[in-house]
Amino acid sequence: MRLLFSLSWSLTAFLTVTAQLTDSIEGIQGLVKRRLPDHVNDFEFVLTGNELKPITTAIRAVNDNYVILSTSSGRIRVEGNTPIALASGLHRYLTDVVHVDIFWYIGSRLNVSSSLPSLTTPLNGSSIVPWRYHFNTVTFSYTSPFWTWEDWELELDWLALRGVNLPLAWNGQEKILVEAFRDIGLTDAEINMYLSGPAFQAWNRFGNIQGSWGGDLPMEWIDDQFELQKNITKRMVELGMTPVLPCFTGFVPRAITRVIPNVTVVNGSQWEDFPVQYTNVTFLEPSDPNFSKLQNSFISKQAAAYGNITHFYTLDQYNENDPYLNSTGYLREISNNTMASLKSADPDAIWLMQGWLFFSNQDYWVRDNVEAYLGGVSDNNDMLILDLFSESSPQWSDPRVQSYHGKPWIWCQLHNYGGNMGLYGQIMNLTINPIQALVNESSGSLVGFGLTMEGQEGNEIVYDLLLDQAWSNSPIETDIYFSNWVTRRYAGTGALPNELYQAWDIMRTTVYNNTNLSKAPSVQKSIIELSPSINGLLNKTGRHGTTITYDPAILDQSWKLLFAAATPNPQLWNNPAFNYDMVDVTRQVLSNNFNALYANLISTYNSSNSSITQLNATITTMKSLLTTLNTVLAASPHFSFSAWLSSARSSAPSPATQTFFEFNAKNQITLWGPDGEISDYASKSWGGLVGEYYLPRWEIFGKYLTEVSAQEYNGTDLKKRLRNFELGWQSDRNSTASVWVEVLGVEESKISLESILRGVVERWG
């Protein structure tokens, strides 16, 4: 009988392993079918590893490796010890041999080549860290709140090919949360008063804000996001990724005291001067037994919906939110009970936490408090921390944090706040610093590299660079890297002119090589997007800085080289990547020019010898530049305000909710709050937004300067005028009719990017 049982168990185990092997290979084969449909039969994939899933420790013992070779039958064979290793090997072959790639927004350029060259010698690759992480929690609000499944498919294929194996999967959380809250007796009305709109959910989940201004979050949309999350997590698992799922963090509706009168709750701190109605979120203390009950309810419902696909849970309790007490005992108890609740729901649970709290509130998070909060999790394998801003403000090396006191952590690139769009990078820091940290004995358990940008916008090359650095144990040679990246970015348009390589190499050594972190630690914001004033705009430093750390004339040179490249090869204008880059670089050039015009305007305004005529002349030139910029941006759907609004409206579950969704989308990128609490934080240089929002603000500013002398200037009065316009604009549904402007004397129906830019280069070059 024991022998029969043993044979039966062995057969079951064999069938299970076989099924997992087939499913894993089918995931990467599915990617090939989606992105390389003409070459489905030209690849072979062989999985050589047997790592058990889901993974049960933050300190993963396996690095990914692959081998690529040509077979005697003429096929390309990719062998790898994990599905993500297979995807990485496929990407290596496509980028290094075929010279094609897949890009954000541009989409897949993988199928532009008709032939697949054979290999004379095999290509080998091995990751130097076990984890490659992707997503900031707020990316789900700044970039993807209105994404469709088609958008997510492109994103997930991009991640897989670049070797990401630990992505955050944060959609659909509200569905699970609503059901858990209903189970304890909260009404839908009480729950709705707690939930925030679709463009602000990240901060609701953080406990920074509660409720929604402008309307209620529809339950139908919550259901839609839940269904979308099912597709996302299923695809992640198919591709061999380990999804990081949400869990119960402790933030609850105020009405919890009605259904559980003796519950132990505290109100969190005020966030960014929001009114109490929308902040001071109620927090259920983890020591209260109801915390563990809600945790079990949440995780069990989630597992029933998505399956047993992961043990990693994202959980941030103090993101820009102060703990109730300043006590090491209190902090240790909070984390200890939180971890206990996770383990009671999932015995193999791993708590993933963003280390942002230790950077954003250093006055509170002194060494003893950091050690106490982290020390509440006794087993280091049970926690994984994202060192969120490693390239500019690494916390792991701070004496307060001390490599997170033994907890494993990931070296991350934050890069931008709010999806700011300036051209910017730190290529030396991205290639040298993570390698130094990896070999530094004091770095503790560094187990991965990751991308944690607040908004997934442009500057794609610097994100590629860090993910590729995860496969090289020495700093990448950026000159060679940039050259290869240019080749595959503009693939499919014949021989590439040397001007393209020259332009990008100039940007490599200047725009993308910032080393002045005191002035510009992250992507700079254009002053065009800031509320006009006579001071405080130019040369701002720190977060949302406006200081340009390179000579603008250098970027002008790159810009002209890019434009000139299309003369010997006009086919470049048919390349979506070239069009995107031309718009993006032009946007930055015009933004830099605006800085000079603004400085001249303020100098003229403050001069006792200036005249209204001189003032008006500069104002007219500034308005002309903004009109031109609006036209350039409108020529690309990737820089379109109407596209953002359209996606918001399309995701609304009914016509009745479209108005709220549109308002929500507009508010995030402008006032960011019911009354501009963090106005312009997530501003965007988008066609339509420049013409409808920023240009009118600068017109109001210019008019004010012509009416009021420098001695009589009143910033409060100006701010009132601007705020009246801003509030009215948000409620105006007649916006974004047509953002095309005949600044170059070209009719809308005949306008083209090439003709637009030719005029811009002649005028501003």
Side-chain angles (χ1 to χ4, degrees):
M1 188 70 178
R2 286 186 61 185
L3 177 60
L4 180 61
F5 173 80
S6 176
L7 290 173
S8 175
W9 181 90
S10 299
L11 179 60
T12 302
F14 173 76
L15 291 174
T16 301
V17 171
T18 303
Q20 289 176 334
L21 180 66
T22 303
D23 289 343
S24 297
I25 293 176
E26 286 179 354
I28 187 64
Q29 288 175 331
L31 189 156
V32 173
K33 290 177 183 178
R34 287 188 297 276
R35 306 303 172 189
L36 289 157
D38 297 336
H39 299 290
V40 171
N41 297 318
D42 294 331
F43 291 96
E44 292 180 5
F45 297 100
V46 179
L47 192 61
T48 60
N50 59 356
E51 185 177 24
L52 296 177
K53 297 284 186 70
I55 295 168
T56 59
T57 176
I59 305 178
R60 181 173 171 243
V62 178
N63 280 359
D64 302 273
N65 58 75
Y66 60 77
V67 179
I68 315 157
L69 56 125
S70 292
T71 67
S72 57
S73 60
R75 304 176 80 186
I76 302 299
R77 179 184 177 97
V78 184
E79 301 176 359
N81 64 332
T82 65
I84 283 296
L86 294 176
S88 301
L90 173 63
H91 188 244
R92 169 83 180 280
Y93 171 77
L94 293 172
T95 57
D96 287 12
V97 180
V98 189
H99 305 298
V100 294
D101 208 340
I102 185 172
F103 299 99
W104 292 341
Y105 306 111
I106 307 305
S108 177
R109 303 289 294 164
L110 298 176
N111 214 37
V112 298
S113 177
S114 59
S115 63
L116 297 179
S118 60
L119 295 171
T120 56
T121 57
L123 296 176
N124 299 277
S126 179
S127 68
I128 61 173
V129 286
W131 295 117
R132 281 84 58 200
Y133 175 85
H134 191 80
F135 287 120
N136 190 304
T137 43
V138 302
T139 316
F140 288 80
S141 290
Y142 283 134
T143 300
S144 63
F146 310 117
W147 273 8
T148 63
W149 172 234
E150 183 180 3
D151 297 320
W152 274 105
E153 279 196 300
L154 176 64
E155 176 77 3
L156 295 176
D157 287 346
W158 186 96
L159 295 176
L161 289 168
R162 281 160 173 77
V164 171
N165 58 359
L166 189 66
L168 179 61
W170 222 26
N171 286 70
Q173 173 174 338
E174 284 63 35
K175 174 71 171 180
I176 307 293
L177 201 60
V178 166
E179 291 186 353
F181 285 158
R182 283 172 175 169
D183 286 351
I184 63 173
L186 287 167
T187 67
D188 282 2
E190 291 169 332
I191 297 170
N192 242 329
M193 290 180 64
Y194 167 75
L195 299 175
S196 298
F200 298 98
Q201 287 188 317
W203 301 275
N204 182 227
R205 297 167 181 174
F206 275 148
N208 298 135
I209 61 174
Q210 61 183 346
S212 184
W213 47 97
D216 291 332
L217 187 67
M219 287 294 174
E220 298 91 339
W221 192 79
I222 292 174
D223 292 338
D224 290 344
Q225 290 297 299
F226 178 60
E227 294 303 316
L228 180 60
Q229 174 78 336
K230 289 181 180 178
N231 289 336
I232 292 170
T233 54
K234 182 174 183 290
R235 180 61 56 80
M236 285 179 174
V237 172
E238 287 175 355
L239 291 170
M241 301 174 186
T242 295
V244 180
L245 293 179
C247 62
F248 177 64
T249 57
F251 301 109
V252 293
R254 296 219 198 280
I256 194 172
T257 56
R258 178 189 66 79
V259 295
I260 311 176
N262 296 320
V263 68
T264 307
V265 294
V266 297
N267 286 336
S269 57
Q270 184 183 30
W271 187 68
E272 296 288 355
D273 295 324
F274 271 72
V276 174
Q277 176 186 357
Y278 298 117
T279 187
N280 299 99
V281 182
T282 302
F283 180 68
L284 173 60
E285 293 278 19
S287 58
D288 190 295
N290 291 288
F291 188 102
S292 186
K293 290 178 182 177
L294 280 168
Q295 189 71 273
N296 276 269
S297 175
F298 189 104
I299 290 180
S300 63
K301 292 177 187 296
Q302 186 168 250
Y306 310 139
N308 181 29
I309 60 174
T310 188
H311 298 299
F312 285 78
Y313 302 95
T314 181
L315 198 160
D316 293 287
Q317 296 169 320
Y318 298 120
N319 179 79
E320 300 177 7
N321 186 7
D322 297 337
Y324 185 65
L325 297 174
N326 193 342
S327 160
T328 56
Y330 174 77
L331 292 171
R332 186 174 287 105
E333 182 183 36
I334 290 286
S335 56
N336 184 266
N337 286 322
T338 299
M339 192 72 241
S341 76
L342 287 170
K343 288 293 188 180
S344 69
D346 178 356
D348 294 316
I350 299 163
W351 176 354
L352 183 136
M353 181 177 72
Q354 293 191 160
W356 182 251
L357 70 168
F358 304 132
F359 169 74
S360 66
N361 190 357
Q362 298 184 28
D363 290 339
Y364 179 90
W365 292 105
V366 296
R367 177 176 174 175
D368 288 348
N369 284 351
V370 173
E371 186 173 8
Y373 189 56
L374 297 179
V377 179
S378 57
D379 189 338
N380 288 340
N381 289 326
D382 289 339
M383 181 175 264
L384 179 59
I385 299 174
L386 304 176
D387 194 69
L388 214 67
F389 201 9
S390 302
E391 79 273 27
S392 294
S393 296
Q395 295 303 290
W396 69 268
S397 57
D398 191 300
R400 297 174 301 112
V401 178
Q402 290 189 325
S403 298
Y404 298 104
H405 297 277
K407 301 294 187 292
W409 61 279
I410 294 178
W411 197 103
C412 297
Q413 176 185 197
L414 176 66
H415 190 251
N416 79 72
Y417 293 105
N420 290 171
M421 299 170 64
L423 298 181
Y424 176 90
Q426 300 179 31
I427 59 171
M428 288 185 65
N429 287 354
L430 295 179
T431 54
I432 296 174
N433 292 5
I435 300 301
Q436 289 179 339
L438 193 61
V439 300
N440 190 328
E441 293 182 359
S442 66
S443 66
S445 299
L446 171 53
V447 295
F449 298 165
L451 303 179
T452 51
M453 59 278 142
E454 286 200 347
Q456 186 174 294
E457 297 295 334
N459 298 299
E460 186 170 354
I461 193 168
V462 299
Y463 299 112
D464 280 349
L465 183 60
L466 181 60
L467 290 179
D468 282 337
Q469 188 61 68
W471 297 78
S472 174
N473 56 20
S474 62
I476 289 173
E477 296 292 340
T478 60
D479 55 342
I480 298 173
Y481 187 89
F482 269 61
S483 178
N484 291 339
W485 195 84
V486 168
T487 299
R488 63 183 190 259
R489 185 162 178 83
Y490 303 129
T493 49
L496 298 182
N498 192 49
E499 288 89 342
L500 289 176
Y501 297 97
Q502 291 176 326
W504 277 96
D505 197 59
I506 290 171
M507 290 192 286
R508 174 184 70 87
T509 60
T510 55
V511 175
Y512 287 114
N513 191 33
N514 176 59
T515 57
N516 193 338
L517 302 185
S518 62
K519 288 187 176 181
S522 59
V523 171
Q524 302 101 327
K525 183 186 286 288
S526 171
I527 70 166
I528 291 170
E529 304 163 11
L530 296 176
S531 184
S533 172
I534 63 169
N535 51 46
L537 299 187
L538 289 176
N539 300 317
K540 289 180 61 178
T541 59
R543 192 190 304 192
H544 296 298
T546 60
T547 300
I548 302 299
T549 55
Y550 55 86
D551 182 355
I554 295 293
L555 183 61
D556 291 352
Q557 183 182 353
S558 290
W559 177 50
K560 293 172 186 176
L561 283 168
L562 286 173
F563 185 79
T567 299
N569 187 351
Q571 286 300 311
L572 283 169
W573 292 113
N574 298 323
N575 187 305
F578 181 76
N579 287 349
Y580 180 98
D581 294 339
M582 281 304 309
V583 172
D584 200 19
V585 176
T586 303
R587 174 201 54 74
Q588 187 66 58
V589 167
L590 291 178
S591 176
N592 293 348
N593 272 278
F594 191 84
N595 288 354
L597 291 173
Y598 169 78
N600 182 52
L601 175 70
I602 301 307
S603 176
T604 302
Y605 181 65
N606 288 325
S607 172
S608 59
N609 299 321
S610 64
S611 65
I612 293 295
T613 302
Q614 291 174 304
L615 206 60
N616 277 326
T618 304
I619 292 170
T620 298
T621 305
M622 293 171 71
K623 290 162 58 177
S624 174
L625 183 149
L626 291 175
T627 302
T628 300
L629 174 61
N630 192 62
T631 303
V632 171
L633 296 169
S636 171
H638 308 298
F639 295 86
S640 169
F641 173 50
S642 60
W644 172 252
L645 284 192
S646 178
S647 65
R649 293 189 192 110
S650 298
S651 72
S654 67
T657 56
Q658 284 186 346
T659 301
F660 167 54
F661 274 49
E662 178 180 324
F663 170 83
N664 208 243
K666 291 170 76 173
N667 181 263
Q668 188 214 80
I669 59 174
T670 54
L671 289 179
W672 213 124
D675 193 33
E677 280 72 13
I678 48 176
S679 184
D680 298 322
Y681 184 98
S683 61
K684 302 290 188 296
S685 285
W686 283 342
L689 191 62
V690 170
E692 294 183 4
Y693 191 74
Y694 300 132
L695 174 56
R697 289 204 308 190
W698 284 99
E699 287 176 329
I700 292 169
F701 177 66
K703 186 174 184 295
Y704 183 81
L705 295 189
T706 62
E707 295 174 348
V708 177
S709 69
Q711 293 72 29
E712 297 172 322
Y713 179 89
N714 186 318
T716 302
D717 181 40
L718 173 62
K719 186 175 182 179
K720 287 181 181 178
R721 296 190 190 190
L722 292 167
R723 185 53 47 88
N724 286 337
F725 161 75
E726 292 162 350
L727 291 171
W729 177 85
Q730 285 191 108
S731 302
D732 181 9
R733 295 207 71 204
N734 295 319
S735 62
T736 66
S738 174
V739 297
W740 296 93
V741 185
E742 297 181 21
V743 296
L744 303 171
V746 182
E747 294 179 12
E748 178 177 342
S749 60
K750 299 179 182 178
I751 206 161
S752 71
L753 179 61
E754 180 183 2
S755 61
I756 292 171
L757 292 183
R758 189 172 302 281
V760 177
V761 171
E762 291 173 357
R763 170 65 179 85
W764 299 99

